[in-house]
Amino acid sequence: MTLETEPDISDFSQIDFTNGVVAAVSGGSDSTALLLLLKDHLDRTAPATKLLAVTIDHDLRPGAAAEAQAVARLCAGRGIAHRILVWSGRKPSTGLPAAAREARYRLLAEAARGEGIGLILTGHTADDQAETVLMRQVREDGGARDDGARDGGRGLAGMAPATLYDWRIWIARPLLGTRRAALRDVLRRANVGWVEDPTNEDEAFERPRIRAALADGNGAQRMEDALALAALAAVEREQLGYRAAALIRGFASKPADGLVRLDPGFVAAGDEPAAVYALRIMLATVGGVAFLPDQARSEVLLERLRAGLSCATSFRAIPFCATLSRTVVDARRAGIFLRRETRNLPPVAPAADDALWDGRRKITLGDRPGAFLIAPLGAARAAKRAIAEDGTPPSLVRAALAAEPALWRSSEYLGEYPGEFLGLVQDSPVSSRMAARPVVAPFSRFLPSFDLAPARTVAALIGAPLVPAVPFSGHSPG
């Protein structure tokens, strides 16, 4: 049986391969089957498509290099361009799976960018999805996610069909509806072998423990239940995202750099789940933190804001102020204002091109990568700036500006703010190509397609770059 006559277990027809594709191939059964099925599809439908297979050697096992070479030979025999990239350097003593995953995506993205490709495919299967959901269900039942905060069940949606990495490159998972056993049948009929990673059986790690539990007599039912839960949770998460985006569009504005204003109607809109979700996204974005704040604490904050209303449109004369996820929440008659707190701002440091500053701004030096220092503007310099009269309390505008990145020109570090002060980076004081673009912090590294609607809305609110087009022609925008 050839691949052309295989049962229809994968569908690449909805994926846009116009700018080429990188296939992540470890040598295991799932990724090897992905590569063969993808190559067959492209040969039949778009033979001119640029296809690059990339194998990441995590440098964790003695046999990893030989396994990568086996993939190289497989690709050479089928005329597929292939690269091996090594995760070099010291490995962490704790959190190794997460660190390896981050290194893997970083290296895959670097390979894609080097070829001008904006799409990566991985071989994640329905088995992987079920394992992911069960792991997250355990964490939800235990009351916390990886960073210790409650997440309101968002993780139960599992892996998204596509995830935007670093706000630049889409990672698509076309085999999420396919069982691993079906893929292995494809490889057997094609007389193609695969490697078995021994770490997949090492129950010192969480996923192998879940995998072993699914192999017992009740495993098939548990897997079906997990996949059904994921499908339901994905729909609910997307719908919640649409509603949160609508609240942000209706009630949020940006009166100044680093400052977001919520109309008091935000807390009285009547859709508490969406309001909590929208508030969590905006708190994380303004504070520059990668994780959404704790669900329960966010619910308490929203309730306190609601309690501060003396009528439908104004707050009591005594303001309410709180801090969550490095964001100061300042509620007063003029509205609810969110700004970065002034504690724990980045110290003075050399400006680096393409760096993420304080989790909030992507720095671009353009054609002027000279000796610049970058640091928060500071209260003293913010106090000297003229503030537009638009009804926003000037003290809040200046407090927000004090936490924004500014440049100094200096070849030698002499003090807290040495050398010549140049101004805010986003004002382009040196070059029109120099910038400090805002980022949607909780989604700047990984943006699941489930969360596209609120991410796009917040990006428009703060002036972040647009989200690249989704790689699925039939995929919903949220």
Side-chain angles (χ1 to χ4, degrees), residues 331-400:
R332 43 179 83 189
R333 289 190 181 277
I336 306 167
F337 294 90
L338 311 180
R339 63 174 175 83
R340 171 70 161 94
E341 66 173 334
T342 55
R343 295 185 305 165
N344 302 317
L345 288 165
V348 178
D353 192 39
D354 203 34
L356 184 60
W357 187 84
D358 194 39
R360 295 183 292 136
R361 289 190 176 272
K362 180 76 77 169
I363 303 299
T364 301
L365 298 181
D367 55 358
R368 299 297 298 274
F372 298 107
L373 297 174
I374 188 169
L377 179 66
R381 291 192 180 276
K384 299 176 181 178
R385 295 179 66 89
I387 304 300
E389 296 293 336
D390 63 352
T392 304
S395 61
L396 291 180
V397 176
R398 292 190 172 100

Side-chain angles (χ1 to χ4, degrees), residues 101-115:
R101 182 169 57 252
E102 172 65 29
R104 180 163 61 251
Y105 285 130
R106 174 178 55 81
L107 291 170
L108 287 168
E110 289 175 0
R113 285 199 297 269
E115 297 291 331

Side-chain angles (χ1 to χ4, degrees), residues 295-312:
Q295 171 82 12
R297 294 181 67 188
S298 301
E299 290 171 352
V300 170
L301 175 59
L302 182 67
E303 180 56 36
R304 293 187 67 183
L305 289 169
R306 185 182 291 115
L309 284 171
S310 59
C311 66

Side-chain angles (χ1 to χ4, degrees), residues 138-265:
V138 169
R139 295 171 193 168
E140 285 289 332
D141 292 343
R145 61 177 186 229
D146 291 346
D147 67 336
R150 296 177 185 272
D151 199 36
R154 294 173 64 255
L156 297 181
M159 292 178 283
T163 296
L164 185 62
Y165 176 79
D166 203 26
W167 212 259
R168 304 181 194 182
I169 293 178
W170 282 104
I171 300 167
R173 304 177 178 95
L175 302 180
L176 275 184
T178 306
R179 292 295 304 274
R180 178 171 294 121
L183 295 175
R184 292 186 171 185
D185 286 343
V186 168
L187 295 179
R188 292 188 186 100
R189 287 191 288 268
N191 197 28
V192 174
W194 64 85
V195 299
E196 295 284 3
D197 186 344
T199 59
N200 289 333
E201 309 297 327
D202 185 353
E203 295 190 20
F205 298 108
E206 183 181 19
R207 187 175 290 274
R209 291 197 299 270
I210 294 291
R211 188 167 296 168
L214 287 173
D216 65 18
N218 195 37
Q221 186 60 52
R222 290 188 66 195
M223 179 169 290
E224 288 184 13
D225 292 345
L227 294 174
L229 174 62
L232 177 62
V235 172
E236 293 176 346
R237 181 165 162 178
E238 288 193 359
Q239 291 176 344
L240 181 65
Y242 280 122
R243 287 151 42 208
L247 287 176
I248 296 168
R249 284 193 302 271
F251 296 104
S253 59
K254 190 187 79 168
D257 285 338
L259 187 65
V260 169
R261 177 189 178 275
L262 298 177
D263 186 270

